[in-house]
Amino acid sequence: MKFLWSTLKSNYLLIAVLLISLFFRTYKVVERFEFAHDGDLFSWIVKDIVIDHHPRLIGQLTSAPGIFIGPLYYYSLIPFFLLTKMDPVGAIIPITIIGILTTFSYWFVFKKLWNEKAGLIAAFLHAILYTWVYFDRRIVPSTPTNLWTIWYFYCVVNLARGNFKVLWIVGLLVGLIWHIHIALLPALVAIPAAFFFSKKLPTKKDFLLFTFYFLLTSIPLILFEFRHNFSQTKSLFFNFSKEHGSSPGGLEKIQEVLTKISSNVEKLFFFPQSFPGNKFIFFAIILSIGLFLVYKKCLKLKEALLFYSWVLTIILFYGLSSSILSEYYFYNIEVILVGFVTLLFIWLFNQSKWLKYIVIATLSVIFINNAHYLTTSYYYAKGYNERKELTEFIVNDSKSKNYPCVAISYIASPGEDVGFRYFFWLNNLHVNKPSSGSPVYSIVQPEHLAYGKNEKHFGQIKLIPPPENEVKSSQEIQKSCAGENSNLTDSMFGFTK
C-alpha cells in the first residue's frame, strides 16, 4: 500500500488511466449485471460455505467432466456477500477491484520491462479496449484471467532475461490455474522456453521458493485429490486424450483455431467495428510487428522468439487436440499482441512530432469510440435487477394473497430458466414444482412464448401470476406446502455438495 500510494501521488497520468478504467468497469454496472446460471451458482456456493457451514475444497463443476474449479474465487466473495447481507450484488466489488488492479499491473509490468511510456500506453489500452472491459465486468471464476496473464507475462520475460527471483511468483501463478481455468495450462510451455533463452538455471533457493508457493496455492487441490483417489487428475488426462468429435483433425482443426484467434484479435482492437479485410491477415500483421520491433532494436530477438513460441504452442496444442474449442482458450496470448502494439506506439512516438500526434490521436479515437459504445449500446434487460424485482413481486404478491408457498413454472428458451433460485432462497420463499398443487407463477422468457391475465414485465422477463380461477382452496394449498422446499432440494447443474 505504501508503494501504491507513493506511486499514485506523483503520477497524475497513471491516476487518470485508473479513473478511466474504473469508469469503464463501473458504468451502469448493477443495471448490466448479468445474473443467470453462473450468478445462481457462485451465490449458492457462497451460501453453502457461510450459511450451511460447509468448508469447500472445490468450486463448481466445469464443462470438462470430472473437473472442478478451485474454491479461491468463492471464498474471496464471502466478505462482500456479508457486507451486502448475502445479496449477490456484493460480488461486483471484488471483480471491479481485480479489473483496476489489472490495469495498474499493466502499467507496472510494462514500465519495469521497458519504460514509463510503455507502461502508460499498455495500461490505457487495458482500460479502454472493450472486449477486455466486458471480460473484466463478468462475475465468474475466470475473470481474473487478465490479471494472471499480465503477471505470467512479466515472469517469463524476466526468466528469459536470467532473473530467477520471480520464480516464487511463477509458483503462485501455476497453482492458481486450477482456481481460474485449466485452459491456461498450455501457456506454461513458455517457462521452459524462457529457461532455454536465458541459458541459465535457477538456484536451489529459487526452485524451493517456486515449489513452496505452488504447493501453497494448490493445498485445496492436493487435499481433494487425496480424499477422492485423484479423480480430477484422472479426469484431466482422460479429457485431453478423449476424442470429443468437435471437428476434423489435422490442418482443418488448425484452421479452426486460427479463425477463432483471428476473430478474437480483431474484436480486441476494433470492436464494436470490424477490420476492413481478412481477419487472419490482420492477425498476421499484428504478429509481424514483433519482427519489426526486433529489427528496430526495440525488442530483443530472444524475447520475440519466446512470445512466438508461446503463441505457436497454443495454436498447436488446440489444433492437435480433440477438445471442443472456445474463444476463451486463446485469451492468454492477447497480452503479447498488445505488447507488440504498445512497443510500436512507443517507437512511433519517439520518431517525430507528427507521428507522436498520430499515436495520441489513435488512442483518443479508440477511447471515444469505446466510451460512446459503452454509454449508448442497447442492453437486453434480463439480469440482476430484473430477476430480483420479479422475485420480490412474487414474495409480496403471495403474502398479500396468503399463499404459504408457491410453484414456479418456467416457459423459457433453453438456458433462460435460471438465475432465480438464489433470490427465492434469499427471500425465504418456499417453492414447489407446478405439479404440487401450489399457486403457479409462470416466468416467461422471451416474452412472446406465453400470454396471460395480469401480466407483469420486468425488463425483458414476463411474469404471469396464478389465475384466480385456477388457485385451489387454502386447505389444499396448505397441504401442498407440507413437503420439501424443492428450491433447496433440487439439484443444480455444476453444484456438488
Side-chain angles (χ1 to χ4, degrees):
M1 290 300 296
K2 184 177 180 181
F3 165 75
L4 182 62
W5 171 246
S6 62
T7 299
L8 291 177
K9 72 179 183 179
S10 60
N11 196 326
Y12 298 111
L13 285 176
L14 176 59
I15 292 174
V17 170
L18 293 177
L19 289 175
I20 290 169
S21 180
L22 180 64
F23 166 73
F24 271 83
R25 283 154 182 80
T26 57
Y27 178 79
K28 292 188 175 180
V29 66
V30 176
E31 293 89 336
R32 299 182 181 184
F33 181 4
E34 297 179 357
F35 193 89
H37 177 65
D38 285 323
D40 246 355
L41 201 49
F42 71 67
S43 301
W44 211 257
I45 291 175
V46 171
K47 165 195 167 295
D48 188 46
I49 299 170
V50 176
I51 304 300
D52 301 335
H53 307 294
H54 179 207
R56 299 184 64 90
L57 295 173
I58 56 171
Q60 69 191 64
L61 181 68
T62 69
S63 57
I67 299 176
F68 298 86
I69 290 175
L72 182 61
Y73 166 76
Y74 307 94
Y75 281 101
S76 71
L77 296 180
I78 290 174
F80 305 98
F81 266 69
L82 294 176
L83 183 66
T84 56
K85 298 180 179 179
M86 296 302 288
D87 192 310
V89 74
I92 292 174
I93 302 171
I95 291 298
T96 301
I97 293 172
I98 288 172
I100 306 307
L101 184 58
T102 306
T103 302
F104 180 83
S105 297
Y106 265 81
W107 169 81
F108 179 86
V109 167
F110 276 79
K111 177 180 179 291
K112 287 292 184 181
L113 295 179
W114 287 284
N115 55 51
E116 177 74 27
K117 290 178 184 176
L120 287 170
I121 291 177
F124 185 70
L125 288 172
H126 176 264
I128 65 171
L129 290 176
Y130 193 80
T131 55
W132 276 356
V133 171
Y134 176 76
F135 192 86
D136 285 351
R137 289 168 68 113
R138 295 166 66 248
I139 304 179
V140 291
S142 59
T143 300
T145 293
N146 282 332
L147 182 60
W148 185 95
T149 302
I150 184 59
W151 282 103
Y152 181 69
F153 178 85
Y154 174 75
C155 289
V156 295
V157 174
N158 270 287
L159 293 177
R161 293 178 181 180
N163 176 18
F164 297 130
K165 298 298 182 185
V166 299
L167 270 175
W168 71 272
I169 304 177
V170 178
L172 277 175
L173 295 174
V174 175
L176 286 172
I177 288 176
W178 179 57
H179 296 274
I180 300 173
H181 204 294
I182 60 170
L184 295 169
L185 276 174
L188 297 185
V189 75
I191 297 174
F195 285 146
F196 174 79
F197 290 119
S198 72
K199 298 180 180 179
K200 293 170 59 179
L201 289 174
T203 64
K204 181 184 292 186
K205 178 183 177 182
D206 292 328
F207 179 75
L208 288 174
L209 284 172
F210 165 85
T211 304
F212 172 79
Y213 284 100
F214 168 69
L215 293 175
L216 182 66
T217 47
S218 301
I219 287 173
L221 175 61
I222 295 168
L223 292 176
F224 183 87
E225 290 299 87
F226 272 109
R227 289 178 61 180
H228 297 274
N229 196 27
F230 297 90
S231 63
Q232 290 194 88
T233 304
K234 295 173 183 176
S235 296
L236 181 65
F237 284 109
F238 175 75
N239 278 280
F240 278 142
S241 60
K242 178 185 175 184
E243 177 58 54
H244 295 274
S246 61
S247 65
L251 291 176
E252 197 168 338
K253 184 65 177 292
I254 290 178
Q255 184 178 4
E256 183 184 354
V257 169
L258 290 173
T259 298
K260 288 189 178 293
I261 293 176
S262 300
S263 179
N264 282 1
V265 175
E266 184 211 32
K267 289 177 182 177
L268 179 64
F269 290 104
F270 281 96
F271 189 86
Q273 284 74 40
S274 58
F275 177 68
N278 187 288
K279 297 176 183 179
F280 176 75
I281 292 176
F282 178 68
F283 175 47
I285 290 172
I286 298 295
L287 280 179
S288 66
I289 292 174
L291 298 176
F292 175 80
L293 294 170
V294 171
Y295 175 72
K296 291 296 181 180
K297 302 187 185 307
C298 300
L299 182 67
K300 295 177 181 178
L301 176 61
K302 67 178 182 180
E303 291 169 10
L305 293 174
L306 172 65
F307 299 150
Y308 287 133
S309 67
W310 181 345
V311 174
L312 183 61
T313 298
I314 299 299
I315 294 171
L316 292 178
F317 178 85
Y318 289 107
L320 297 175
S321 77
S322 61
S323 301
I324 298 173
L325 298 180
S326 170
E327 287 79 2
Y328 170 80
Y329 295 168
F330 313 108
Y331 286 172
N332 65 81
I333 66 173
E334 291 179 354
V335 63
I336 296 171
L337 308 178
V338 168
F340 286 166
V341 171
T342 297
L343 295 178
L344 176 63
F345 280 162
I346 295 299
W347 181 81
L348 293 170
F349 198 88
N350 293 331
Q351 295 308 300
S352 70
K353 181 171 67 175
W354 291 109
L355 286 176
K356 180 187 297 184
Y357 291 152
I358 289 174
V359 170
I360 294 172
T362 301
L363 294 173
S364 300
V365 168
I366 296 172
F367 167 72
I368 294 169
N369 181 60
N370 289 1
H372 177 264
Y373 181 81
L374 176 70
T375 55
T376 61
S377 60
Y378 174 76
Y379 174 68
Y380 196 71
K382 57 171 185 172
Y384 165 83
N385 278 343
E386 292 73 33
R387 282 170 164 79
K388 183 178 181 180
E389 290 169 5
L390 182 149
T391 303
E392 290 174 349
F393 174 84
I394 294 175
V395 171
N396 295 328
D397 188 65
S398 62
K399 284 182 178 179
S400 69
K401 296 174 180 176
N402 295 316
Y403 299 154
C405 66
V406 300
I408 300 295
S409 171
Y410 294 100
I411 306 172
S413 300
E416 298 292 349
D417 55 341
V418 291
F420 298 96
R421 287 185 60 175
Y422 183 76
F423 286 123
F424 293 152
W425 170 81
L426 194 61
N427 285 276
N428 198 28
L429 190 65
H430 186 132
V431 178
N432 291 329
K433 298 181 185 298
S435 60
S436 65
S438 304
V440 179
Y441 288 80
S442 297
I443 297 174
V444 185
Q445 172 62 29
E447 299 169 279
H448 68 266
L449 291 181
Y451 299 91
K453 293 182 179 180
N454 302 317
E455 296 178 347
K456 303 295 179 182
H457 293 262
F458 303 88
Q460 268 73 44
I461 307 175
K462 181 194 292 184
L463 177 69
I464 302 176
E468 291 185 9
N469 61 334
E470 295 181 10
V471 176
K472 298 185 177 182
S473 67
S474 58
Q475 291 81 5
E476 290 177 298
I477 295 175
Q478 191 68 46
K479 184 178 179 181
S480 75
C481 300
E484 292 183 324
N485 184 343
S486 63
N487 188 57
L488 298 178
T489 58
D490 284 357
S491 62
M492 179 182 290
F493 178 73
F495 175 77
T496 302
K497 190 75 171 180

